[in-house]
Amino acid sequence: MPPCRSHWSSRLGFVMAAAGSAVGLGNIWKFPYVAGQNGGGAFVLIYLAAIVLVGIPIMMAEFLLGRASQRDAIGTFRHLSGRRSLWCLVGWAGVGAAFILFSFYAVVAGWSLDYLFKTLSGQLDGCSPQQITQTFRGLLASPGQMIGWQAVFVTLAAAIVFRGVRGGIERCNKILMPGLFLLLLYLFVHGLLSGGASRAVHFLFFPDFSRLTPQMVLEAVGHAFFTLSLGAGVMITYGSYLDEKADLFNLTLKISLLDTLVALMAGLAIFPVVFSAGLDPAAGPGLVFQTLPVVFGTLPMGRLLMLFFFLLLAFAALSSAISMLEVPVAWLVDEKQWSRRKATTSLTVAAFILGLPSALSFNRLSAWTIVGNLTFFDFCDKLISSWMLPLGGLAVAVYCGWFFRASHQAKKALLCASSDRAFDYWSLLIRYVAPVAVALVFIHQIGLF
Ligand code: PHE
């Protein structure tokens, strides 16, 4: 074990941090809008199947590998399979993915900070849905505002990662996660009691299989990886700060359940408004920012609740962003013996610079497309969500299921699986079901069948 390696102070601290990583913009911002763009029910069904059959077993595998090696994402593969092994590339790809993800995630997280500020200053008070849409467009059209908030956000993330695992990451998440959950619960109940509820439930849970396309399946599977923070070395790194005793099997189930609940609750809070205010469910990335202010406008104490909501959205984004930043930081600290301070500062500055063209993709650089019709932001998002995370996860599944040289017994002990049968199910999923399912999606995507 590398010297002086810090550990979570408690199991709860670990769960909150891992759940904090999983629950983020992916659940509240991304899930509703990609589900909306992909026609609802069929997408949700595939996403849920991907969580159970692919996401959960791979999360267990990432935790297991991190705990076994007690090292960062690259160090894990180096330690477990040898310095020259090609598997180290999986660690490298994870570190790269986490870094790129951090760069553009901060742009969207900046929007929530901007909305927080707008709520505080009363700019959203009494606006009609159309005015709120206009406000959102106005934000996208102003590079200065977006970049300013992006800078604030990366600085906040850096300040937490700077303080390390216990003092920063763990302490923050313990407060943020329960707060977010309670507020969403309130919005969800409110959504269910409101006018558009039955259309929303129908939209989200009654699959229209005519919408099923290979592209949509790829997006649903990709989103399952994104929302559970898989394939980017995050859960390997977080697992490496774990002591020997925690029952990973159980904890993973809890974390994934919480993550899925938050996404579904966010969907059920947002879609009733979309339908009752006559908005377009396929409106794209602005969906949350254009719908929730409308709901809040109609609620008693709406402004206060809206304030809480954007505060917690920003916090949810922050707890995910710190996990992304922690992956390359842990690598520089563990393997290159950099100080935490130097690693955090350099990576944050670099990620901020890489994030600039993403922020400009919504205005100055909107006409600049890279491949296909994608702006720089869309390209980064596609590259990470649809390709790198699923491929990283696939590699983890294959490695853990077939190449990780540990006995059945040792793997079982690392997972602390409560029963033999549970462990056997996991083995089946990680060795056969998860890799085959993800590989099929890719092979189809590339057009090989
Ligand atoms: N799971 C996070 C979210 O839902 C995003 C994330 C992906 C975080 C990959 C870390 C690694 O917002």
Side-chain angles (χ1 to χ4, degrees), residues 43 63 69 115 126 163 223 233 253 267-268 281 300 318-319 333 416 430:
F43 175 91
F63 284 149
S69 73
Y115 266 60
R163 292 159 163 261
H223 186 68
L253 292 179
L268 287 169
L318 197 59
S319 58
V333 171
C416 292
I430 204 73

Side-chain angles (χ1 to χ4, degrees), residues 21-22 24-27 101 105 226-229 232 234 320 323-324 389:
S21 169
L25 294 173
N27 306 62
L101 183 54
Y105 200 82
F226 185 92
T227 191
L228 293 178
S229 304
V234 167
S320 299
S323 73
M324 298 164 199
L389 299 184

Side-chain angles (χ1 to χ4, degrees), residues 70-424:
Q70 295 286 303
R71 279 169 176 78
D72 63 285
I74 298 175
T76 290
F77 287 97
R78 242 186 219 153
H79 177 69
L80 298 177
S81 61
R83 284 198 83 75
R84 303 203 172 282
S85 158
L86 278 180
W87 288 109
C88 297
L89 288 177
V90 181
W92 280 102
V95 171
F99 177 74
I100 300 174
L101 183 54
F102 179 56
S103 78
F104 71 84
Y105 200 82
V107 173
V108 181
W111 300 349
S112 55
L113 292 179
D114 181 76
Y115 266 60
L116 186 62
F117 175 76
K118 285 198 164 77
T119 313
L120 264 178
S121 58
Q123 288 176 52
L124 297 171
D125 287 358
C127 289
S128 66
Q130 288 70 24
Q131 284 166 324
I132 287 173
T133 302
Q134 264 335 95
T135 310
F136 183 68
R137 295 210 178 119
L139 168 64
L140 294 192
S142 67
Q145 247 181 67
M146 285 193 21
I147 292 172
W149 289 118
Q150 177 197 352
V152 174
F153 183 81
V154 293
T155 311
L156 288 173
I160 301 175
V161 171
F162 210 65
R163 292 159 163 261
V165 172
R166 275 194 202 189
I169 302 179
E170 184 173 332
R171 188 177 297 162
C172 269
N173 280 312
K174 267 192 190 162
I175 310 170
L176 305 181
M177 288 309 300
L180 179 74
F181 195 78
L182 287 180
L183 189 64
L184 259 181
L185 197 65
Y186 177 81
L187 286 175
F188 155 74
V189 172
H190 177 269
L192 281 189
L193 297 177
S194 74
S198 61
R199 280 188 68 190
V201 171
H202 195 268
F203 181 74
L204 282 175
F205 297 111
F206 288 81
D208 166 7
F209 288 110
S210 67
R211 300 293 301 258
L212 205 74
T213 59
Q215 183 56 34
M216 184 261 252
V217 174
L218 180 71
E219 276 202 44
V221 173
H223 186 68
F225 283 93
F226 185 92
T227 191
L228 293 178
S229 304
L230 301 175
V234 167
M235 297 309 186
I236 298 183
T237 310
Y238 274 16
S240 76
Y241 300 129
L242 200 61
D243 64 35
E244 299 299 316
K245 293 170 293 284
D247 180 348
L248 280 178
F249 206 83
N250 226 314
L251 295 181
T252 307
L253 292 179
K254 285 193 183 129
I255 295 164
S256 321
L257 185 70
L258 185 75
D259 185 77
T260 311
L261 274 181
V262 171
L264 296 178
M265 274 164 44
L268 287 169
I270 288 165
F271 281 108
V273 194
V274 172
F275 291 118
S276 57
L279 298 166
D280 177 12
L287 194 65
V288 186
F289 295 93
Q290 293 167 31
T291 50
L292 285 182
V294 180
V295 202
F296 286 119
T298 63
L299 289 180
M301 295 197 306
R303 183 152 163 213
L304 191 67
L305 290 174
M306 180 145 70
L307 194 71
F308 271 130
F309 178 79
F310 285 115
L311 189 67
L312 291 167
L313 183 62
F315 277 136
L318 197 59
S319 58
S320 299
I322 55 186
S323 73
M324 298 164 199
L325 182 57
E326 177 64 18
V327 173
V329 166
W331 163 63
L332 287 175
V333 171
D334 279 1
E335 308 273 307
K336 304 282 169 207
Q337 278 76 45
W338 284 31
S339 69
R340 199 162 248 282
R341 174 182 293 248
K342 180 173 156 200
T344 311
T345 318
S346 336
L347 286 164
T348 305
V349 171
F352 174 69
I353 295 172
L354 180 64
L356 291 177
S358 286
L360 296 176
S361 298
F362 294 92
N363 34 70
R364 298 265 160 81
L365 297 181
S366 59
W368 179 46
T369 51
I370 305 198
V371 266
N373 245 340
L374 303 175
T375 60
F376 187 79
F377 176 92
D378 291 336
F379 171 75
C380 289
D381 184 25
K382 264 256 140 32
L383 174 73
I384 300 298
S385 316
S386 296
W387 294 93
M388 286 188 79
L389 299 184
L391 279 175
L394 170 65
V396 165
V398 172
Y399 179 72
C400 191
W402 298 96
F403 292 88
F404 174 42
R405 277 171 309 221
S407 67
H408 209 65
Q409 236 25 48
K411 283 189 192 169
K412 193 162 171 227
L414 279 165
L415 272 180
C416 292
S418 4
S419 74
D420 278 330
R421 180 177 295 174
F423 183 76
D424 291 342

